[in-house]
Amino acid sequence: MVNVLVVGSGGREHALSWKLSQSPKVDTVFTAPGNGGTENNVPINVDDLDGLSDFAQQNNCFTIIGPEAPLAAGIVDRFNQRGLKVFGPSQQATQLESSKIWAKNFMKRNDIPTARYEIFDDAQKAQDYVKSLGYNVVVKADGLAAGKGVIVCNSNEEAFSAIQTILVKKTFGDAGNRIIVEERIDGIEASYIALCDGEIAIPMATSQDHKRIFDNDKGPNTGGMGAYSPTMIIDDTLAKKIQEKIIDKTIQAMKNEGISFKGFLYAGIMITNNEPSVLEYNVRMGDPECQPITMRMDFDLYDYFVASVDGKLSSMPPTSWKNQSAVCVVLASEGYPESYVKNEEISGFDSIPNNIYVFHAGTKKIDGKILSNGGRVLGVTALGDSLKSAITNAYTVADEISWSHKYCRRDIGQKGLSYL
Ligand code: AMP
Ligand code: GLY
């Protein structure tokens, strides 16, 4: 038996901890720093690479890294140097997410479909370029900006203001030293996530996120307000196309460039006229996509993590998935993704049916009470025999749970229904 350490404190990490604790091969699952819902929390922050690796060594842990920040800081390399087993990509491989410019150039030189773009460090030149185009653009900060460094523009004026925000006002700090100005493409967005071992990539169940704060995809982007799996938007033909033209090609191209990609590879995809192109890469599971995907897993995730680390995914049996839908409705603090209040007591956790799981994100447990402690607070995740019933199940519980400034979208999963 082995112990597991899950690094992170979001809904994604709660879902991973929950799933791994079901493995007969796993003894104790620790979460660092964890949240009000995770068990065996270890008070070490995700940026304390030495503290985390000391803990993993002392407690004989196989470690799983959830969020991008410690990955980009090189946590996997640090663990490997100490001979510790750790699941996730190396620092070099995280460039796919930590530098959008690196990722765009990588896609261009390897012929992976993505929107046309140019790179700038000069605001005037960027504005002149925008003026020369006959289409709308998206302005992106190069570096990590907690999911906020992307501004989708509806006019040249919006683009000018986005250029000022990122490049001149430096709203995202050094992440905005350089920007990408890329063509805004229309279509349908979906998430495609695969588990990789440096050689091959096996797809996870398909899913779709709901990124905007308000119903009908209105308002600013967030980390994600809800997700469902599977999504009918990606049928078998399209899945094959994405796997071959994007995922397999990415893993192979990384290998050709001397970088072994291990871990979750997440491609944010825009589908236009049935053709996929990459909006962004992430080098980790999506949050909240992880929650419904994990609920549908009918296999021992721990075995697949070990196989990823050991480069042995090709010898694993095919993954199997519950033939049900799963829907995750995120309950957030009103005001998110801007400012919001914390420390409000949450009630309504009693008598939750066993086909539903409430994953915690921004919560903390004090004297047996659960308090809100972040923007995205809980992810009510329900299974159902159809997408429709999974939606109903999720909202039944979501509506039972309450605190003073609770907010959630009312239309999670509806996009999927319109494709049935
Ligand atoms: P990213 O972090 O690059 O995925 O961007 C965040 C969001 O911005 C995406 O989920 C899309 O909704 C939107 N977006 C990014 N790039 C484009 C693009 N080229 N065209 C249209 N929308 C985009
Ligand atoms: N839900 C989007 C992400 O994890 O980046």
Side-chain angles (χ1 to χ4, degrees):
M1 297 275 274
V2 65
N3 293 326
V4 161
L5 171 64
V6 176
V7 174
S9 59
R12 167 182 52 211
E13 288 76 28
H14 190 184
L16 293 173
S17 302
W18 170 80
K19 182 68 191 169
L20 290 163
S21 67
Q22 294 162 28
S23 169
K25 295 176 184 129
V26 172
D27 194 353
T28 304
V29 178
F30 299 99
T31 313
N35 57 41
T38 51
E39 283 167 25
N40 309 308
N41 289 347
V42 181
I44 307 176
N45 281 331
V46 301
D47 58 2
D48 182 359
L49 308 194
D50 287 330
L52 291 165
S53 51
D54 285 345
F55 181 88
Q57 187 155 37
Q58 285 152 12
N59 294 278
N60 179 33
C61 290
F62 179 98
T63 304
I64 288 116
I65 315 298
E68 61 276 18
L71 290 168
I75 193 168
V76 168
D77 309 71
R78 186 75 65 95
F79 272 60
N80 283 333
Q81 280 153 13
R82 294 180 64 169
L84 301 169
K85 290 261 186 195
V86 59
F87 170 80
S90 67
Q91 189 171 32
Q92 233 190 349
T94 64
Q95 290 177 101
L96 280 179
E97 177 167 0
S98 62
S99 169
K100 287 186 188 287
I101 292 178
W102 194 91
K104 290 294 276 191
N105 290 340
F106 169 86
M107 287 187 265
K108 193 176 191 177
R109 68 179 174 265
N110 290 296
D111 206 19
I112 294 166
T114 190
R116 290 179 279 180
Y117 69 102
E118 288 292 335
I119 294 160
F120 297 95
D121 59 9
D122 180 283
Q124 190 56 50
K125 286 188 183 145
Q127 292 203 20
D128 291 345
Y129 174 69
V130 169
K131 276 187 218 154
S132 75
L133 302 172
Y135 47 79
N136 279 325
V137 300
V138 180
V139 181
K140 301 184 173 183
D142 176 38
L144 292 178
K148 292 182 182 161
V150 172
I151 304 175
V152 180
C153 308
N154 291 307
S155 63
N156 281 5
E157 287 63 40
E158 283 185 27
F160 301 156
S161 134
I163 291 165
Q164 290 293 318
T165 303
I166 303 178
L167 210 49
V168 180
K169 293 185 201 141
K170 288 273 158 67
T171 303
F172 309 112
D174 285 347
N177 286 347
R178 292 191 295 163
I179 57 167
I180 297 168
V181 177
E182 74 176 46
E183 179 185 9
R184 177 175 173 175
I185 46 180
D186 291 320
I188 300 156
E189 255 186 277
S191 316
Y192 194 94
I193 302 168
L195 184 63
C196 314
D197 69 350
E199 299 291 330
I200 66 160
I202 55 171
M204 297 290 99
T206 59
S207 61
Q208 192 181 35
D209 190 9
H210 297 64
K211 290 198 189 225
R212 304 299 186 101
I213 186 72
F214 301 126
D215 285 11
N216 301 313
D217 294 338
K218 298 282 191 297
N221 263 328
T222 69
M225 294 303 294
Y228 67 94
S229 170
T231 176
M232 309 68 200
I233 290 163
I234 303 180
D235 60 16
D236 290 350
T237 318
L238 188 55
K240 192 160 178 278
K241 229 184 240 181
I242 296 171
Q243 181 74 29
E244 286 169 6
K245 288 189 177 178
I246 292 170
I247 302 293
D248 292 345
K249 217 165 163 182
T250 300
I251 298 302
Q252 192 55 46
M254 289 291 271
K255 196 177 159 194
N256 295 345
E257 297 192 5
I259 306 173
S260 169
F261 192 97
K262 294 183 177 190
F264 283 117
L265 178 65
Y266 167 135
I269 304 274
M270 187 73 92
I271 302 150
T272 316
N273 300 325
N274 238 16
E275 284 300 320
S277 59
V278 180
L279 293 177
E280 64 161 349
Y281 287 113
N282 295 314
V283 297
R284 50 169 177 80
M285 252 292 180
D287 185 345
E289 293 94 322
C290 185
Q291 290 83 312
I293 290 176
T294 309
M295 286 278 280
R296 294 189 54 230
M297 287 178 178
D298 248 344
F299 54 89
D300 189 339
L301 184 58
Y302 172 73
D303 287 340
Y304 285 80
F305 282 161
V306 172
S308 158
V309 173
D310 293 342
K312 291 193 173 142
L313 278 179
S314 56
S315 60
M316 294 298 287
T319 52
S320 66
W321 300 89
K322 286 190 179 35
N323 192 18
Q324 286 179 297
S325 283
V327 172
C328 171
V329 176
V330 170
L331 307 183
S333 299
E334 206 182 304
Y336 172 78
E338 309 301 333
S339 58
Y340 49 81
V341 292
K342 293 193 208 176
N343 293 313
E344 295 186 324
E345 188 179 347
I346 307 171
S347 64
F349 292 109
D350 307 327
S351 61
I352 291 169
N354 60 9
N355 61 341
I356 300 180
Y357 203 88
V358 181
F359 294 113
H360 289 227
T363 68
K364 61 183 174 189
K365 198 178 200 171
I366 295 197
D367 298 333
K369 291 180 181 160
I370 299 292
L371 305 181
S372 65
N373 189 36
R376 293 191 293 172
V377 176
L378 298 165
V380 178
T381 312
L383 288 168
D385 290 334
S386 63
L387 176 57
K388 201 160 184 246
S389 69
I391 293 171
T392 307
N393 294 343
Y395 276 105
T396 305
V397 170
D399 289 341
E400 289 290 314
I401 293 175
S402 74
W403 71 94
S404 302
H405 291 90
K406 169 186 145 190
Y407 167 77
C408 67
R409 272 179 66 157
R410 302 300 316 175
D411 66 342
I412 302 302
Q414 295 296 328
K415 294 197 242 201
L417 287 182
S418 62
Y419 277 83
L420 291 176

